[in-house]
Amino acid sequence: MHREVELTVYGAEVLCPSCVNLPSSKETYEWLQAALSRKYPDQPFNITYVDIHNPPEEAEKQEFAQRVIEEDMFYPVVLVEDEIVGEGNPKLKTIYSAMEKHGYQPA
């Protein structure tokens, strides 16, 4: 493996209207972090949570957070590098596939 992959989970405190009965964005972020750590032990990656209503100073993250709001995306929206791999209720299989494209090997 060459370098750590960057995952970003965009979401909000309040569930999106179409996401009732699903975990919150923050819960999805924590679940994803745990699942990826188990699937790819000793293979580091960066995972960041971004609140779409209070994004960090980075212009790139602010712009995508605004896009989530403007395009009424279902959140959480999960990105691997800059590719959207999950929206609303992200599927682990899809995220694993994206990770493996970047050289991660399942345990």
Side-chain angles (χ1 to χ4, degrees):
M1 197 171 58
H2 306 291
R3 66 179 188 83
E4 293 182 15
V5 164
E6 181 73 36
L7 290 98
T8 312
V9 178
Y10 288 85
E13 293 282 323
V14 179
L15 292 177
C16 75
S18 301
C19 303
V20 178
N21 299 325
L22 294 176
S24 71
S25 297
K26 195 77 162 178
E27 289 168 331
T28 299
Y29 159 77
E30 292 165 353
W31 163 77
L32 195 53
Q33 189 170 30
L36 291 171
S37 294
R38 281 192 305 274
K39 182 82 168 179
Y40 308 108
D42 304 318
Q43 298 175 71
F45 56 88
N46 289 316
I47 184 166
T48 308
Y49 176 76
V50 175
D51 185 322
I52 60 173
H53 299 296
N54 191 19
E57 293 296 313
E58 298 167 63
E60 186 179 297
K61 288 189 172 35
Q62 288 180 346
E63 287 168 17
F64 195 84
Q66 191 61 40
R67 184 176 156 201
V68 171
I69 294 167
E70 288 174 358
E71 295 180 16
D72 286 329
M73 292 181 173
F74 296 122
Y75 46 85
V77 177
V78 180
L79 274 66
V80 172
E81 291 301 313
D82 291 323
E83 177 189 355
I84 297 173
V85 294
E87 193 180 330
N89 187 14
K91 304 286 182 252
L92 269 178
K93 191 173 181 180
T94 306
I95 295 166
Y96 289 159
S97 176
M99 295 291 285
E100 289 164 19
K101 277 192 231 169
H102 289 281
Y104 284 75
Q105 298 293 317

